[in-house]
Amino acid sequence: MSNRTRGKTLARGVAALLAVTLATTACGADDSGSGEPADPIAGRPVPTDQAPDSEVKIAMIGFANNPYWVSVKAGADYADRVLGSRKGKVDWIVAGENIDVQTVSSAIRAADAQGYKGVGFFIAGEGNCADIKNLSAKGIKMGVYNTLFDCVGTSGGTINYAQEQYKAGQTAAQEMIKASGDKSGKVGIIVSQFTAPGSEQRRQGFVDGLKGSKLTPVSQGVEAKDSASNTFAAAQNYLQSTTDLVGIYATAGGPFGAAQAVAAAKKQDTVKVIGYDITTENIAALKDGSMHGVIGQDAFGQGYNVAVELFNAAVTGKQPAEVKQEATAPFVTKDNLAEHDPSVKPLGAPGAS
């Protein structure tokens, strides 16, 4: 079998693995979606004791193109179980295929039309703050996750819960420098898309973090659209075209695709892969050595915390003490995995997603 044929076969395998993962989640295979009442999670927002006059429905808007969404949905589903006995209802809504300001805006307006008292959503750009301003003026509580924006608070939003992405990119750079030892070389960068604000902040933080070191980016990066198979192909191109490649940095969905490419090339010892999210696929890559490390962003909390805070605000009329709330972002390797592995930690434990 030629290298090109083998690469195409592996890429199809990565895509198939992702499809199975998302299909399993859609069927509610995890405990978070069982529908049975649940207790609040320690260390996370506490639901108000104030009883609403009628059911309070919260919409959580997301997508389903990579395993990150598995954890966000799990958090929203668990919030639904916690709030059910308090006349609360949390619905997970998949907005579509393209993550952009207009698609997110359309989903927000649809949620408004359906009578939700609170709307939490993945923010695609500052343009979505106009939606926050418009709906907040109507008394609807608005929450944002994944990326921190100052405009969320100034537009009347209730909560903006996310990793500080630029800082995470700097952390990734520091860890890449350490992982490469004192070696000079190039690092390939794979992004979601250059117009995605969170991915771009992570990319810029990484590029700035490498300055003054012996490592330099191959280029400003290539887009993979959160696809594991596209990430596999991009990583394979870096491996084939860059003789002094020492690392691959993936800013968004599907970083295990890069790990698959490195493993296929048998370069786990010389090319270090750093990505994001403590997912099943990434954990497997950490364990087999094809991925050096991942940075968590409390994806579960992005679903759970936002939903609970929106419920509380809708019931009490009071905002949290801070709108902008930075999520926990641990750097996880094989060595400290036991402290962060969601398969051995209680469901929803901070630092395990």
Side-chain angles (χ1 to χ4, degrees), residues 12 15 67 84 88 104 113 118 173 224 246 252 298 331 346:
R12 286 195 295 269
V104 173
V246 298
D298 194 19
F331 185 75

Side-chain angles (χ1 to χ4, degrees), residues 189-195 221-225 230 234:
I189 300 174
I190 303 172
V191 306
S192 169
Q193 50 193 26
F194 292 112
T195 56
V222 296
E223 294 184 332
K225 307 290 187 182
N230 288 350

Side-chain angles (χ1 to χ4, degrees), residues 13-147:
V14 171
L17 173 61
L18 176 59
V20 169
T21 300
L22 295 177
T24 300
T25 303
C27 293
D30 59 272
D31 290 340
S32 63
S34 66
E36 297 179 0
D39 294 327
I41 298 173
R44 297 195 179 277
V46 178
T48 179
D49 290 330
Q50 183 174 326
D53 295 331
S54 58
E55 184 180 59
V56 175
K57 293 173 59 180
I58 305 297
M60 289 296 297
I61 298 170
F63 293 82
N65 61 351
N66 74 80
Y68 156 77
W69 300 108
V70 175
S71 296
V72 182
K73 181 180 183 298
D77 287 345
Y78 200 86
D80 181 54
R81 293 173 57 192
V82 170
L83 298 176
S85 61
R86 297 167 170 82
K87 294 185 180 179
K89 181 76 175 73
V90 180
D91 291 331
W92 176 253
I93 298 170
V94 176
E97 296 181 359
N98 298 317
I99 304 178
D100 55 39
V101 168
Q102 184 55 50
T103 299
V104 173
S105 181
S106 295
I108 290 170
R109 291 197 298 270
D112 174 33
Q114 294 176 55
Y116 286 97
K117 300 299 183 183
V119 179
F121 64 94
F122 177 99
I123 188 166
E126 289 193 0
N128 289 132
C129 282
D131 301 300
I132 296 174
K133 185 175 182 178
N134 292 336
L135 269 67
S136 294
K138 297 171 60 175
I140 298 171
K141 304 305 177 182
M142 302 298 293
V144 165
Y145 63 92
N146 185 262
T147 307

Side-chain angles (χ1 to χ4, degrees), residues 144-192:
V144 165
Y145 63 92
N146 185 262
T147 307
L148 298 174
F149 280 106
D150 290 337
C151 66
V152 174
T154 59
S155 299
T158 293
I159 178 172
N160 184 182
Y161 185 71
Q163 175 191 84
E164 212 298 331
Q165 314 270 31
Y166 180 86
K167 185 166 67 176
Q170 291 182 307
T171 296
Q174 293 165 5
E175 295 294 341
M176 185 69 79
I177 293 167
K178 286 194 291 184
S180 65
D182 198 36
K183 186 186 301 183
S184 298
K186 298 289 182 60
V187 180
I189 300 174
I190 303 172
V191 306
S192 169

